[in-house]
Amino acid sequence: MRKIFKRMFGSQSITPTIELEEIEIDATEFNITTYTPNTDTTIVYLPAIDFHSERFGRRPQRLLKALAEVGYNVIYINSSDEFYQVDALEYPHPELPNFVVARVGQNVRTLFQGDRVIYWVNDSRLASSVETAYPDLVVFDSLTDPDQYEKHKHKMEAVADVVFITPERIYEHGKYCSNVHLVTADEFEIKERAEQVAQIIDALPNRMAPLM
């Protein structure tokens, strides 16, 4: 084994000492940044896509996991359209105790953390329910599924504080919500997209509280 390592890396006894010039690297030039959310925030994913589903390339699951890695408290309320979740709460990522998958129908308010609650919506049919729930912020992550999510799309856009779209939808939005952002969710760039989303939602003010 020692002979193999000598053959691969050479012998230390014959390795000449080389002095290398110290080079300073500007991290910003290579976009090596890490964004930390400004607020202690809980993101609640309203039931639309089963956590174990492969639909939409698992865009919501991967993007919300990346947001949990950034630092948000994420509650993924699971849909029961495809699979049935046995346990009331699941923690699919042991390294992320701040990412929980809750069976639909559970009261998740006890899991809220921080001063800000964001509703993350894929299903545009929830527009009326979201509008009367009074979260601090509403995110509409628009996906293409004419059978389920298209009928109330424009109403959901009008309700939402910000709309995230996929490249396929880039020319279909902007009439009803002025705050529209193209957010891809390819696996190789998911961390960068999560930081992009974090900066966008942190910069937005909370919704106006209802008049009592």
Side-chain angles (χ1 to χ4, degrees), residues 25-122:
I25 299 176
D26 183 2
T28 59
E29 181 180 351
F30 297 92
N31 197 27
I32 305 173
T33 60
T34 299
Y35 181 76
T36 302
N38 295 328
T39 56
D40 193 5
T41 301
T42 293
I43 296 177
V44 182
Y45 177 81
L46 301 188
I49 300 171
D50 190 286
F51 180 75
H52 302 287
S53 175
E54 297 294 333
R55 296 172 63 197
F56 304 107
R58 295 183 61 81
R59 169 191 168 92
Q61 298 94 316
R62 292 191 288 109
L63 189 53
L64 288 164
K65 178 191 175 187
L67 286 168
E69 292 172 339
V70 168
Y72 290 105
N73 180 48
V74 176
I75 304 171
Y76 191 110
I77 302 180
N78 212 2
S79 170
S80 58
D81 290 344
E82 296 184 57
F83 307 97
Y84 178 75
Q85 181 172 325
V86 176
D87 296 328
L89 301 176
E90 291 183 359
Y91 292 86
H93 309 295
E95 74 281 7
L96 291 174
N98 56 322
F99 185 102
V100 59
V101 179
R103 188 175 61 211
V104 65
Q106 301 297 310
N107 185 347
V108 298
R109 289 190 177 276
T110 58
L111 301 175
F112 289 3
Q113 298 179 16
D115 300 324
R116 200 181 201 201
V117 176
I118 296 176
Y119 281 3
W120 189 287
V121 185
N122 282 144

Side-chain angles (χ1 to χ4, degrees), residues 177-190:
C177 180
S178 59
N179 200 357
V180 180
H181 299 268
L182 174 63
V183 176
T184 58
D186 294 326
E187 188 170 359
F188 70 92
E189 60 177 15
I190 192 68

Side-chain angles (χ1 to χ4, degrees), residues 107-211:
N107 185 347
V108 298
R109 289 190 177 276
T110 58
L111 301 175
F112 289 3
Q113 298 179 16
D115 300 324
R116 200 181 201 201
V117 176
I118 296 176
Y119 281 3
W120 189 287
V121 185
N122 282 144
D123 190 342
S124 61
R125 295 173 297 180
L126 299 174
S128 297
S129 300
V130 168
E131 193 171 21
T132 57
Y134 306 119
D136 295 313
L137 203 69
V138 175
V139 172
F140 179 34
D141 187 20
S142 183
L143 302 174
T144 306
D145 191 338
D147 294 336
Q148 294 189 38
Y149 305 138
E150 291 296 283
K151 186 176 180 180
H152 305 285
K153 178 184 69 175
H154 294 317
K155 184 177 181 180
M156 189 66 244
E157 289 177 341
V159 170
D161 299 289
V162 59
V163 176
F164 295 138
I165 60 173
T166 60
E168 294 80 7
R169 315 216 69 173
I170 193 167
Y171 298 111
E172 301 178 27
H173 294 270
K175 296 180 181 179
Y176 299 88
C177 180
S178 59
N179 200 357
V180 180
H181 299 268
L182 174 63
V183 176
T184 58
D186 294 326
E187 188 170 359
F188 70 92
E189 60 177 15
I190 192 68
K191 182 177 182 294
E192 290 78 6
R193 297 291 76 78
E195 292 180 1
Q196 174 191 357
V197 168
Q199 294 184 61
I200 291 169
I201 61 180
D202 280 350
L204 291 172
N206 286 350
R207 299 167 70 89
M208 294 290 293
L211 298 176

